[in-house]
Amino acid sequence: MKEETISLARALSKLGYCSRARASLYIKGGRVSVNNRLVKLPSAKVDIDNDIIEVDSRRIAKPTAVVIMLNKPSGYVTTSNDELSRKTVYELLPKDLHLFAVGRLDMDTSGLLLFTNSGQLQDRITSPDKEVSKTYIATVNGKLTFDLIDKFLNGVEIKDGLVVKADYCRIISMDLCKTRVQLTIHEGKNRQVRRMFEAIGKTVSGLHRSSIGKLELDLPEGSWRKLSNEEIDSIFS
Ligand code: URA
């Protein structure tokens, strides 16, 4: 797939070399060349596939795509630098990999979270057009009726005029105090599942993501592993 031209600072970040902010510093500091010519403008456009980008005369090659699956425990934030000094998901990953999260899970949500060094893969997984489905197990307080489930399948309004649907929804178990529901959605609006339940008057007390596309979480809580190429493909099949 051919990349469009992007800014030099973004290219260095996409190549996994450093953050965009740091790249801007390197570029302004005269450490970066493109096709053997010094470039001091972070916004200069480059073609990440065809241009030869060097930092301190060392070529920065496109890394092979790495995708990591993490079983995120509840209580960790999906950010690399938390202003409130809460525990971050990056504390659970190896330090030597320059990876970014594919989408995010709320601090109180557990389950399958992907990380990659490939901007293209990240865009493919999170793009609304690609409709990659995500399956969640939600625990809600009290009992649920089947017509509430129907509402999810027909569409609920989570914000003025914003209606979202579940592609699939079923009750796994129910007792007087709580109901466990499995649901699959393909959009990725902020706090979508919790807001869908709020829209039908229910509060989510636990939320866990069990799969993305056909890729199912198969790790103990807090563990991570690299995906094979077949597994990466299964996200889109
Ligand atoms: N929906 C939510 O409400 N929270 C998440 O973390 C993911 C989906």
Side-chain angles (χ1 to χ4, degrees):
M1 195 190 298
K2 173 109 177 58
E3 284 263 353
E4 288 166 19
T5 58
I6 54 174
S7 77
L8 180 54
R10 178 144 189 253
L12 281 172
S13 151
K14 271 193 134 186
L15 288 166
Y17 184 73
C18 58
S19 69
R20 223 186 286 188
R22 191 167 286 273
S24 293
L25 290 178
Y26 293 164
I27 297 162
K28 287 179 190 160
R31 293 173 57 184
V32 183
S33 69
V34 179
N35 300 329
N36 259 331
R37 291 178 60 183
L38 189 66
V39 177
K40 286 187 143 185
L41 198 61
S43 61
K45 293 284 185 250
V46 293
D47 177 340
I48 202 170
D49 284 323
N50 297 308
D51 288 335
I52 297 171
I53 302 172
E54 291 174 302
V55 179
D56 297 334
S57 306
R58 262 191 40 234
R59 179 157 188 192
I60 311 304
K62 206 165 186 173
T64 47
V66 172
V67 183
I68 275 184
M69 156 196 288
L70 170 74
N71 185 349
K72 175 193 175 299
S74 161
Y76 285 76
V77 284
T78 311
T79 179
S80 55
N81 204 350
D82 187 51
E83 287 169 359
L84 302 174
S85 303
R86 293 170 295 186
K87 291 183 286 189
T88 80
V89 288
Y90 289 92
E91 293 170 29
L92 301 165
L93 298 178
K95 302 284 171 283
D96 54 329
L97 295 176
H98 186 81
L99 300 175
F100 36 94
V102 179
R104 54 174 60 218
L105 289 176
D106 300 337
M107 180 166 131
D108 295 335
T109 303
S110 61
L112 176 52
L113 185 60
L114 297 177
F115 294 82
T116 184
N117 58 351
S118 159
Q120 267 173 295
L121 265 178
Q122 189 189 39
D123 292 347
R124 277 183 74 195
I125 299 170
T126 52
S127 157
D129 313 339
K130 301 293 182 297
E131 305 208 339
V132 174
S133 63
K134 291 123 197 151
T135 298
Y136 294 88
I137 311 290
T139 306
V140 294
N141 296 329
K143 284 187 161 191
L144 267 192
T145 57
F146 286 94
D147 49 308
L148 289 179
I149 296 295
D150 276 349
K151 282 196 182 163
F152 275 2
L153 296 172
N154 293 323
V156 284
E157 190 169 342
I158 59 169
K159 195 173 110 181
D160 292 346
L162 178 61
V163 175
V164 292
K165 281 182 189 181
D167 303 322
Y168 174 83
C169 192
R170 76 177 176 105
I171 292 177
I172 303 172
S173 63
M174 183 157 59
D175 60 32
L176 278 179
C177 314
K178 63 176 188 302
T179 307
R180 290 181 75 225
V181 180
Q182 177 183 355
L183 75 161
T184 302
I185 58 174
H186 64 264
E187 295 137 311
K189 306 276 184 265
N190 187 29
R191 298 182 63 254
Q192 181 167 332
V193 175
R194 289 175 202 273
R195 288 159 76 197
M196 287 171 77
F197 279 100
E198 277 160 23
I200 61 166
K202 292 284 171 190
T203 305
V204 171
S205 59
L207 187 60
H208 178 84
R209 181 154 69 192
S210 56
S211 58
I212 297 180
K214 290 220 169 78
L215 180 72
E216 293 197 14
L217 182 63
D218 57 4
L219 292 172
E221 200 170 75
S223 309
W224 63 270
R225 69 173 177 83
K226 279 189 187 170
L227 299 187
S228 66
N229 289 341
E230 290 72 36
E231 286 178 310
I232 296 174
D233 289 342
S234 77
I235 297 170
F236 305 104
S237 62

